[in-house]
C-alpha cells in the first residue's frame, strides 16, 4: 500500500474511486488489464490521499443534488479501509452535502457504516450492489479468495434490505466450465429472491479476458483447474468475450426467474436507476435479449 495525489476525482458520470488496485485477489478481475495503465502492482494499493479534498470541492459546486457511484474499479471496502476509513469519511461528506450514493462491493465491512447509510438514505438515496458469482462456498473461496464468501454477502444484502436500503446483485462474471451450471445460477437467484433484491445486473454468462487479466487468470487456472487453460485457449483464443456454451440456456432461465419474481433485470433501466436520486415510478421491464 502506498499514498499518492491525483489531479481529479469525479468522472463524467459522477463515479469515482478512493483507491486504485485491489486486495481481494479474485482470479478473473478485469481491472488488472493493461489498458488501464496502472503504474504499480495491482495488489500494491494506491491510496488517493487528496481524494476527499477533491471530492468535497466537487460537491460544493453542485447546484443540484446528484447520485454518485463508487466501486467499479476498486472495492471501497477492501481490508485497508478498516484502518484508513476513507470510505466512511466519504460517506460523511455525502451526507453533509445532501447527495446520494451507489456503492458496489463484495465486503461485509459495509455494515460498519450502516447507520450512516441509513441517514443518507433518509435525505437522499443509497443503493448498494453486491457481486455474487458462485453458490458453492468452497469454490467461491478459490475464485474470490480474499473476500467474504457468498453466504456472508447474502447476509449483508439481508441486513441492508432490513435497513430500508435498496440492494442489487452484480451477477458477473460466470466462468466457463467452472461456475456456469444451472445449479449455480439457481442457487444465486434463490438467494436474490430470499433477500428481496430490487434488481440483478447480468451481462451474459461468461467473462472477458484481455491483456493483463488474461495472463493472471490462466496462472490461476494452472494452479486450481490445471486442465482448463488448454480448453480456454482452444475455444476462445485471444477473444475478449468468452461466453459459456450454456449462455442461451442460462439466460432464458435467468429472465424467466426474474419475471416470475418481479426482480428487475433490464440493464438500460437498471443503470438509469442507479444514476438517479429517485426511482422512476413508470419503470417497465424491457428485455435486451
Amino acid at each position: 500500500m502506498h499514498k499518492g495525489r491525483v489531479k481529479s476525482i469525479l468522472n463524467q458520470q459522477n463515479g469515482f474511486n478512493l483507491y486504485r488496485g485491489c486486495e481481494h485477489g479474485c482470479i478473473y478481475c478485469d481491472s488488472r488489464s493493461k489498458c488501464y495503465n496502472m503504474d504499480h502492482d495491482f495488489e500494491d494499493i494506491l491510496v488517493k490521499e487528496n481524494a476527499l479534498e477533491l471530492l468535497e470541492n466537487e460537491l460544493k459546486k453542485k447546484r443540484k443534488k446528484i447520485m454518485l457511484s463508487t466501486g467499479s474499479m476498486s472495492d471501497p471496502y477492501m481490508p485497508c479501509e478498516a484502518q484508513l476509513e476513507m470510505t466512511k469519511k466519504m460517506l460523511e461528506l455525502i451526507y453533509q452535502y445532501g447527495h446520494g450514493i451507489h456503492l458496489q462491493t463484495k465486503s461485509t465491512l459495509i455494515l460498519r457504516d450502516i447507520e450512516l447509510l441509513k441517514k443518507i438514505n433518509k435525505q437522499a438515496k443509497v443503493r448498494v450492489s453486491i457481486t455474487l458469482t458462485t453458490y458453492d462456498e468452497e469454490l467461491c473461496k478459490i475464485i474470490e479468495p480474499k473476500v467474504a464468501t457468498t453466504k456472508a454477502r447474502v447476509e449483508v444484502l439481508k441486513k441492508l434490505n432490513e435497513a430500508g436500503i435498496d440492494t442489487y446483485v452484480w451477477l458477473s462474471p460466470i466462468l466457463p466450465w467452472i461456475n456456469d451450471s444451472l445449479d449455480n445460477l439457481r442457487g444465486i437467484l434463490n438467494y436474490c429472491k430470499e433477500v428481496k433484491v430490487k434488481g440483478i445486473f447480468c451481462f451474459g454468462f461468461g467473462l472477458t479476458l484481455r491483456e493483463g487479466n488474461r495472463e493472471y487468470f490462466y496462472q490461476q487456472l494452472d494452479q486450481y483447474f490445471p486442465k482448463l487453460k488448454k480448453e480456454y485457449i482452444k475455444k476462445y483464443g485471444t477473444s475478449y468475450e468468452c461466453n459459456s456454451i450454456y449462455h442461451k440456456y442460462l439466460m432464458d432461465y435467468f429472465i424467466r426467474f426474474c419475471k416470475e419474481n418481479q426482480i428487475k433485470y433490464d440493464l438500460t433501466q437498471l443503470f438509469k436507476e442507479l444514476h438517479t436520486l429517485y426511482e422512476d415510478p413508470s419503470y417497465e421491464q424491457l428485455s435486451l435479449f
Side-chain angles (χ1 to χ4, degrees), residues 155-172:
E155 186 62 23
V156 170
L157 287 165
K158 179 182 178 182
K159 290 180 178 179
L160 290 171
N161 181 64
E162 291 172 348
I165 294 169
D166 291 347
T167 57
Y168 304 78
V169 160
W170 215 266
L171 182 59
S172 176

Side-chain angles (χ1 to χ4, degrees), residues 144-191:
E144 300 158 338
K146 299 177 183 178
V147 68
T149 64
T150 298
K151 284 185 179 179
R153 284 178 248 173
V154 170
E155 186 62 23
V156 170
L157 287 165
K158 179 182 178 182
K159 290 180 178 179
L160 290 171
N161 181 64
E162 291 172 348
I165 294 169
D166 291 347
T167 57
Y168 304 78
V169 160
W170 215 266
L171 182 59
S172 176
I174 299 298
L175 313 180
W177 299 299
I178 296 176
N179 62 347
D180 60 341
S181 68
L182 181 59
D183 284 345
N184 182 61
L185 177 60
R186 185 184 291 117
I188 293 172
L189 293 179
N190 284 334
Y191 274 148

Side-chain angles (χ1 to χ4, degrees), residues 1-2 18-24 43-48 74-87 107 109 112 146:
M1 184 174 66
H2 65 287
L18 301 173
Y19 304 107
R20 196 168 192 209
C22 192
E23 299 176 279
H24 286 164
E43 286 79 9
D44 180 16
I45 308 303
L46 168 64
V47 180
K48 300 177 183 180
S74 183
D75 196 312
Y77 286 103
M78 291 183 294
C80 64
E81 166 62 19
Q83 173 188 356
L84 298 173
E85 295 192 342
M86 287 190 64
T87 298
S107 176
L109 184 57
R112 176 200 65 187
K146 299 177 183 178

